Amino acid sequence: MKLKNFLLVVLGVAGSYTSFAQSNLLNAKTPDEIGKKTAAQLESDNDKPLPYGYVHDRDVLMGKTIWEKIDLDERINFPLYYPVDTAFVGKDRRSLFQVLLNGIKSGAITEVYGDDYFNSKKSLKDMESIFKYKDTTPAGIDEFNTDIEGYKSGRKVLDPQYVNVTELAASDVSGYYIKGYWYFDKRQSELKYRLLGICPVATEARDKAKGNTDVIELFWIYFPSIRGVLHEAKAFNDKNSAMPITFDHLLNSRRFSGVIYKEENVYGDRTIEKYMKDNAQMQLLESERVKEKIRNFEQDMWNY
């Protein structure tokens, strides 16, 4: 009897996920209805990100802040990168960068900063030059010189054909920097992880227009403030398209490959690259050493 009840619960949960993932696909009479939930679905759903549990400062026996780089060239990280061309996919499929950018433009994401310590807040207007760069063509310069005073006074406006506009796209993002906090919860006797910030890394629009490939940190977002936005966006699940995974779940469950490039330290939180110079192998080994140091703390708790 217990087994029967257990199976019914499992099937019920799986059914709810399936119905949510299909997004009215099998019931839609027109393409416009795909992705829109029915009134019954909206009434029965309690679709919110799983809230973080409260952790008192006295319950944290050990804590360490680390920074990691997620390389989008690695296959395991492809769900964060694709799709880069939205012309051939549905409206519900967007890359993580596009989700973040759309959230900033719509005002759903407001906790945007210029540094990983969340000191200097940024607005969309402050970052406009990062995403878009306008440059006058040589022919446009010649046209401008024909009537400098007219263009300066505003009597004449330069034709758009003389202006090249370069915009930053999802395909330009090469990776993400994330900031997280590993801590040992002595109340639950468990090593846990809390994601604090995320930052896309890409070539600025101005550098892209000039052919430069140097990447920069575009902006930092305080992660707990965007969990609702990321929960609404779905990453592709190549094993079962009927059950996509949310970006919030993907990042919180650490379903990605990251390399530690910095840990908090007495030297002003210097990066590994600063004291392991010009040696990629030693930098990788140092990253693994930091990871093992955190992991061994939990192991040592159970040694008597």
Side-chain angles (χ1 to χ4, degrees):
M1 188 64 181
K2 291 183 179 180
L3 179 60
K4 181 179 179 181
N5 292 337
F6 175 75
L7 291 175
L8 287 174
V9 171
V10 171
L11 290 174
V13 172
S16 64
Y17 272 107
T18 304
S19 63
F20 169 75
Q22 288 174 344
S23 300
N24 207 34
L25 175 64
L26 302 181
N27 301 316
K29 295 181 176 59
T30 63
D32 293 337
E33 295 180 5
I34 298 176
K36 296 180 180 179
K37 296 184 181 181
T38 63
Q41 285 177 317
L42 292 173
E43 185 177 352
S44 62
D45 281 351
N46 183 20
D47 188 34
K48 296 179 180 178
L50 186 66
Y52 292 141
Y54 177 76
V55 181
H56 198 285
D57 291 343
R58 290 178 298 182
D59 295 333
V60 179
L61 184 62
M62 182 279 296
K64 174 69 74 172
T65 303
I66 64 166
W67 288 257
E68 296 173 87
K69 181 179 180 180
I70 300 174
D71 189 354
L72 294 182
D73 281 338
E74 295 188 37
R75 184 174 294 275
I76 192 175
N77 298 327
F78 281 178
L80 299 173
Y81 179 69
Y82 290 102
V84 293
D85 188 354
T86 59
F88 304 103
V89 294
K91 296 179 180 179
D92 58 333
R93 286 191 60 190
R94 293 294 182 268
S95 65
L96 177 58
F97 177 74
Q98 198 63 53
V99 171
L100 296 177
L101 187 58
N102 290 345
I104 294 173
K105 289 181 177 179
S106 67
I109 297 177
T110 58
E111 297 301 312
V112 184
Y113 298 84
D115 63 292
D116 51 359
Y117 293 97
F118 314 112
N119 293 322
S120 57
K121 204 164 186 179
K122 295 285 186 180
S123 66
L124 182 61
K125 187 176 181 180
D126 297 332
M127 301 182 295
E128 191 173 6
S129 61
I130 295 177
F131 304 126
K132 183 181 291 187
Y133 175 70
K134 295 181 179 180
D135 190 22
T136 306
T137 63
I141 295 175
D142 294 338
E143 175 65 22
F144 181 82
N145 291 332
T146 59
D147 189 1
I148 297 177
E149 294 301 325
Y151 284 109
K152 285 186 176 180
S153 63
R155 287 186 291 104
K156 296 182 68 175
V157 179
L158 195 64
D159 193 286
Q161 66 174 328
Y162 297 125
V163 179
N164 289 330
V165 179
T166 304
E167 294 191 52
L168 200 64
S171 59
D172 299 317
V173 179
S174 62
Y176 289 91
Y177 289 160
I178 60 171
K179 179 182 180 181
Y181 188 69
W182 284 99
Y183 67 96
F184 188 86
D185 190 336
K186 66 180 182 181
R187 184 179 293 273
Q188 299 186 17
S189 300
E190 186 179 359
L191 184 68
K192 295 184 177 182
Y193 178 77
R194 182 71 59 86
L195 189 55
L196 299 178
I198 185 167
C199 167
V201 180
T203 302
E204 198 174 5
R206 180 188 180 92
D207 291 335
K208 177 183 176 182
K210 296 183 180 299
N212 299 332
T213 58
D214 295 335
V215 297
I216 63 168
E217 300 176 6
L218 299 183
F219 51 82
W220 279 90
I221 301 178
Y222 187 62
F223 185 81
S225 69
I226 62 169
R227 294 193 62 208
V229 175
L230 296 183
H231 184 75
E232 295 296 327
K234 304 297 186 293
F236 184 73
N237 183 356
D238 59 350
K239 295 182 179 179
N240 185 1
S241 59
M243 296 184 67
I245 181 174
T246 68
F247 282 116
D248 175 66
H249 185 191
L250 187 149
L251 291 168
N252 275 305
S253 58
R254 294 187 60 85
R255 294 176 62 169
F256 57 81
S257 174
V259 177
I260 297 174
Y261 71 91
K262 182 170 70 169
E263 66 166 330
E264 58 179 351
N265 52 67
V266 70
Y267 304 103
D269 295 348
R270 66 179 180 179
T271 62
I272 293 176
E273 187 179 7
K274 286 186 177 180
Y275 62 93
M276 292 287 182
K277 298 181 179 180
D278 303 325
N279 193 326
Q281 183 179 8
M282 291 302 297
Q283 291 172 12
L284 187 61
L285 291 175
E286 177 67 7
S287 173
E288 290 297 318
R289 186 193 68 81
V290 174
K291 186 186 300 183
E292 284 297 319
K293 181 174 64 175
I294 297 171
R295 184 183 299 157
N296 288 340
F297 184 89
E298 183 184 30
Q299 297 295 328
D300 293 342
M301 293 300 296
W302 303 106
N303 290 335
Y304 298 95

